[in-house]
Amino acid sequence: MADNLLDKASILLTPTAYNDGSMLSVKPENGDGDFTFSRGSAATRVNEQGLVEEITDINLPRIDYTDGCGSWLLEGQSTNLVNNSELLNTYFTSKVDTTITDNYGTSPSGETNSSRIQFVDDTSFCYNVISVSTDHTSSVFVKGVSGETVRFGIGSSVLTGDLFTFNGLWQRIDFTASSATQIFFSSYGGATTRDFEAFGLQLENLSYATSYIPTNGAIATRLADVANNSGNSSLINSTEGVLYAEIAAFDDISSLKMITLQSADNNNKVSIGYANATDGVRVIIRANGSNIVNQNFTASNLTDFNKLAFKYESGASSIYLNGSEVLDLSSANFTFSQELSKLSFDGGNTANPFYGKVKALAVYKEALTDAELQSLTTI
């Protein structure tokens, strides 16, 4: 039934097609549902072959396959503070009983540009000096013998960070700290590996790791993804309808990250997204410049994909999450003073942009039944 319900949508976006400057909607076919897209810099993704691929076209959207299934990847701006992310022998200026061989093996990019790191014993390490006094996240791709461990991260010494266990394949590991003077690999503190490969070292001024940002001699910045201007008033009902999204959050939801149906003046809108609260989802109905609904609810595992449906209808609004009604908003009565005419990955007029992963986004021009909403959102 859920597939048939997607056929009823007036706007339907899935991770299927894009071109320079556009995320192409499946419906409608005439392009009125397409999103205008921009980024302003190169960026990377994991492609269908599982390889880390650099997208050099600055306005080309990304469909990412990190999870094995494609999803739109929308990220905020971030900078890799490691100036030689693929030449670790150059970057790690301090080495004790450690040999690093650059351009050694086939990395996750499919090229011969991994670094081999060999430790002599259980007191070997390599590091570079950093200065961190707020949340920063270090990340790197590693490959070693399955079951062996390595110590990696940022901290005050090579005994900090964390122990990570190899799975025998390339895997990305990360570690976050709010205070650090070093970024390092070491064989201290129970680490068992003496020989492994590494690729794509990254340090970001964030509490979570974003997609890989390559550097070669200088730090580099990936600019934010911007996607908006989908739809028009003929595709969006200003009396009743449904805004549906299958989305996953990044680890940080410290600020609002919204998806919105809005009027031209943004005084009328229907929004859903992540709240600046632990495991929080925010829903908003704004009519004639006043918030009729502005409410959070708790949802667990937001970094997993969740299916959310926001039915908006005066006196009959509700929220469904993963097959169940989680909010009854029937007490909210409203009339929009200006028709809803635009769908955007933000909170309206580019504020509170949505950052996360998207498998589906849909708009319905009718208020679906409870049975339909349950079917549409069932995982």
Side-chain angles (χ1 to χ4, degrees), residues 129-288:
V129 174
I130 60 174
S131 179
V132 167
S133 57
T134 59
D135 274 355
H136 279 62
T137 299
S138 54
S139 59
V140 68
F141 294 89
V142 291
K143 182 180 180 181
V145 175
S146 180
E148 291 187 352
T149 58
V150 68
R151 186 166 289 278
F152 166 75
I154 56 177
S156 58
S157 76
V158 296
L159 276 168
T160 54
D162 208 349
L163 277 177
F164 295 90
T165 302
F166 297 118
N167 63 13
L169 304 172
W170 279 108
Q171 62 197 94
R172 198 179 190 201
I173 59 176
D174 62 82
F175 182 82
T176 302
S178 59
S179 177
T181 57
Q182 299 175 1
I183 181 171
F184 62 86
F185 281 109
S186 85
S187 59
Y188 273 73
T192 58
T193 188
R194 301 295 178 261
D195 193 342
F196 64 101
E197 292 178 72
F199 168 81
L201 186 64
Q202 189 150 300
L203 178 65
E204 302 171 82
N205 187 10
L206 293 171
S207 61
Y208 64 101
T210 71
S211 61
Y212 173 51
I213 304 169
T215 64
N216 183 17
I219 66 174
T221 298
R222 180 201 61 247
L223 298 180
D225 298 303
V226 179
N228 51 34
N229 296 322
S230 169
N232 54 47
S233 58
S234 70
L235 297 171
I236 305 168
N237 189 337
S238 297
T239 303
E240 64 175 55
V242 173
L243 175 58
Y244 166 78
E246 185 177 0
I247 53 179
F250 299 131
D251 286 338
D252 170 53
I253 54 168
S254 60
S255 61
L256 289 177
K257 295 171 175 63
M258 306 300 289
I259 301 171
T260 299
L261 296 170
Q262 68 178 96
S263 60
D265 62 5
N266 197 36
N267 283 328
N268 305 272
K269 66 182 181 180
V270 174
S271 296
I272 193 164
Y274 303 125
N276 48 343
T278 301
D279 292 331
V281 177
R282 174 72 59 85
V283 294
I284 298 171
I285 297 176
R286 186 172 178 83
N288 199 22

Side-chain angles (χ1 to χ4, degrees), residues 64 80 93 111-112 141 165 178-179 181 200 259-260 307 350 373:
D64 185 81
N80 187 356
T93 54
E111 304 168 283
T112 307
F141 294 89
T165 302
S178 59
S179 177
T181 57
I259 301 171
T260 299
K307 295 183 177 183
T350 72
L373 292 166

Side-chain angles (χ1 to χ4, degrees), residues 7 52 59 71 82 89 114 169 174 208-210 251 260 278 304 363:
D7 290 339
V52 176
N59 290 321
S71 61
V82 171
N89 187 49
S114 72
L169 304 172
D174 62 82
Y208 64 101
T210 71
D251 286 338
T260 299
T278 301
D304 295 335
V363 175

Side-chain angles (χ1 to χ4, degrees), residues 303-324:
T303 55
D304 295 335
F305 278 98
N306 289 277
K307 295 183 177 183
L308 288 156
F310 191 168
K311 181 183 78 170
Y312 61 95
E313 180 183 9
S314 184
S317 299
S318 61
I319 307 294
Y320 273 73
L321 168 68
N322 298 336
S324 299

Side-chain angles (χ1 to χ4, degrees), residues 44-53 63-66 141:
T44 66
R45 67 165 186 160
V46 175
N47 63 23
E48 292 177 88
Q49 290 73 46
L51 298 175
V52 176
E53 174 187 18
I63 298 177
D64 185 81
Y65 293 84
T66 298
F141 294 89

